[in-house]
Amino acid sequence: MSESRNPAHVALYNSSYVILFDDGSWSSRGVPESLVKKMEQTKSKIEFVSLGPNEQWFFRLENGKVVYDVDDQKLRDDLRNSVDKPFKLWFNDDDDDDDNASYILQYSDLSLSWNSIPNDFHNKLNGRQKSLPVVKNITFGPDNTWWVSFQDDTARSSSQIPRHIGTQLKHTKCLVLDPQDEDNYFIFKDNGSLTWQVNDDFDDDINEKEEDDDVVYMNPHRIRYTQKSISPRFRNGQSIEQLRQDLEDGITNVDKVPKINVIRTRSGNIWSLDNRRLWCFHNASNIDRIPVRVTDKRPSWFNNRIKNIKEPFEIRVRGSSEETEHYSDVDGSSDWSGYD
């Protein structure tokens, strides 16, 4: 990761994301086109952004101006008619209440207003409203899960936070959950380190990939995934199933597909940094040898993430009607050297 470009803020929703970097640049994937256009038009640095259901969004500029697209009348009224300027807006995705939008709005004086939030969270916030310290950050996950931090550097979370996230929350400065996907998260640690699991596009936008790493040929069935789930499409919109079929039919070959980047650990295990292409190689019946780029540069999230991957040769393709689990024939032994 470049020293001059580090993530300062992240927003997630249904594996779509916006990353704001500390140099004022930003990256996004899968977000509404209306949001992208507004962000491209801004001349001031964007300091905060949030994503919500039904393609709703909100962002705040360095100069204090806010820009948003929301479809709930009460929320629009709260944004327009408040005495203090809106400061932050967090969307919740409450599937149990179709009539009322679920959100928390923070104003420039750091006071809060909210609507239709989980009862346990309401009780937590209602107590804090009456005395300092005030809320610093909030995030919502699936099924009304939540996490909140306060200005006194304490934090609280719902008891239903997924275990693979909850075990990493010690010394967390800020947590970002995905209201639509419990696998996705981003953690800013107190010591400045980062850990996350989102998707390959997200990894690409944060990590700088070096072109001068060693290129070797490997059996793809010996390479492990570094995610529990993947998108069914690549960044360019092509489906991973189409590439798998093209490989199997001989329409394309492994040398025409961009090389995947892998890390080899001391135990000899090989881990992929490009999980969708690896899925294609795993599931094309005629592929047993691929070129890979071996790198010694581990992303900051790598060690923590692989600790939480219990089935490294399995991965779920998100968005399919059957939510099919895909399996490899490899037993996961760690005594293989990594080369064909």
Side-chain angles (χ1 to χ4, degrees):
M1 188 184 304
S2 170
E3 294 182 359
S4 61
R5 180 176 139 118
N6 296 307
H9 177 80
V10 169
L12 299 173
Y13 189 85
N14 197 22
S15 296
S16 300
Y17 61 83
V18 177
I19 308 169
L20 304 181
F21 295 96
D22 55 7
D23 64 355
S25 63
W26 54 272
S27 296
S28 69
R29 175 67 175 171
V31 301
E33 185 63 28
S34 58
L35 171 58
V36 174
K37 288 181 179 179
K38 288 294 185 181
M39 292 179 70
E40 289 175 342
Q41 292 170 0
T42 60
K43 297 180 180 180
S44 182
K45 182 179 180 180
I46 302 172
E47 291 193 330
F48 177 88
V49 62
S50 59
L51 304 172
N54 303 319
E55 298 194 339
Q56 298 178 99
W57 50 264
F58 170 99
F59 68 84
R60 188 190 76 249
L61 303 175
E62 188 176 34
N63 61 15
K65 180 181 178 181
V66 298
V67 186
Y68 53 84
D69 185 2
V70 300
D71 57 16
D72 181 75
Q73 185 60 51
K74 183 181 185 306
L75 177 53
R76 283 199 296 268
D77 291 342
D78 285 346
L79 288 165
R80 293 171 179 171
N81 302 328
S82 60
V83 175
D84 293 291
K85 290 183 178 181
F87 186 63
K88 293 180 179 179
L89 172 63
W90 297 279
F91 296 95
N92 183 30
D93 196 9
D94 187 358
D95 294 331
D96 296 330
D97 194 344
D98 296 331
D99 297 327
N100 294 302
S102 180
Y103 62 86
I104 296 177
L105 178 59
Q106 187 173 48
Y107 301 98
S108 56
D109 67 349
L110 303 185
S111 64
L112 302 173
S113 67
W114 56 74
N115 188 63
S116 191
I117 62 174
N119 287 334
D120 57 342
F121 198 14
H122 177 276
N123 295 337
K124 184 68 64 178
L125 291 181
N126 198 41
R128 289 282 180 153
Q129 282 284 88
K130 298 175 181 178
S131 62
L132 293 176
V134 297
V135 166
K136 183 188 295 184
N137 286 298
I138 294 171
T139 188
F140 289 103
D143 302 320
N144 284 323
T145 54
W146 52 267
W147 179 91
V148 57
S149 65
F150 302 98
Q151 295 288 352
D152 61 354
D153 294 326
T154 61
R156 298 290 185 272
S157 65
S158 60
S159 59
Q160 294 82 21
I161 288 283
R163 179 174 175 78
H164 71 280
I165 299 174
T167 55
Q168 303 184 68
L169 290 182
K170 189 175 182 180
H171 304 304
T172 290
K173 180 180 180 180
C174 183
L175 168 67
V176 182
L177 299 173
D178 184 332
Q180 283 281 308
D181 194 325
E182 68 175 12
D183 289 340
N184 295 339
Y185 65 90
F186 191 97
I187 297 175
F188 294 87
K189 289 290 190 177
D190 289 337
N191 63 4
S193 64
L194 310 170
T195 183
W196 69 86
Q197 177 171 300
V198 184
N199 54 42
D200 288 345
D201 287 332
F202 192 95
D203 294 349
D204 290 347
D205 281 338
I206 288 186
N207 298 315
E208 290 187 345
K209 296 194 174 179
E210 303 293 338
E211 296 299 324
D212 56 354
D213 293 312
D214 293 335
V215 175
V216 298
Y217 280 81
M218 291 184 180
N219 184 336
H221 298 285
R222 297 290 186 178
I223 303 175
R224 301 167 180 238
Y225 295 107
T226 53
Q227 291 176 197
K228 296 179 180 179
S229 63
I230 53 173
S231 167
R233 294 188 177 276
F234 293 105
R235 182 187 292 265
N236 65 4
Q238 179 188 12
S239 72
I240 60 175
E241 171 58 27
Q242 184 62 58
L243 177 57
R244 184 204 68 79
Q245 191 66 55
D246 287 350
L247 287 165
E248 197 163 277
D249 293 344
I251 296 174
T252 190
N253 60 61
V254 297
D255 291 310
K256 293 180 180 179
V257 178
K259 299 176 183 65
I260 67 172
N261 295 266
V262 302
I263 292 173
R264 181 168 50 193
T265 61
R266 292 180 180 178
S267 62
N269 294 331
I270 309 297
W271 297 85
S272 174
L273 301 181
D274 301 289
N275 295 281
R276 283 172 294 188
R277 272 170 277 162
L278 179 60
W279 180 91
C280 295
F281 296 138
H282 274 188
N283 289 277
S285 61
N286 58 335
I287 304 299
D288 59 10
R289 190 169 181 265
I290 62 170
V292 301
R293 182 175 291 110
V294 182
T295 177
D296 294 326
K297 303 173 182 66
R298 298 188 181 190
S300 59
W301 49 262
F302 180 79
N303 290 336
N304 283 333
R305 186 184 296 183
I306 65 173
K307 290 178 183 178
N308 292 298
I309 302 292
K310 304 302 182 184
E311 301 291 343
F313 296 100
E314 301 175 11
I315 200 163
R316 175 171 60 87
V317 179
R318 294 190 295 268
S320 64
S321 59
E322 298 179 353
E323 290 291 333
T324 305
E325 296 283 350
H326 298 275
Y327 296 92
S328 165
D329 293 331
V330 180
D331 62 6
S333 60
S334 61
D335 58 352
W336 182 71
S337 65
Y339 291 94
D340 274 339

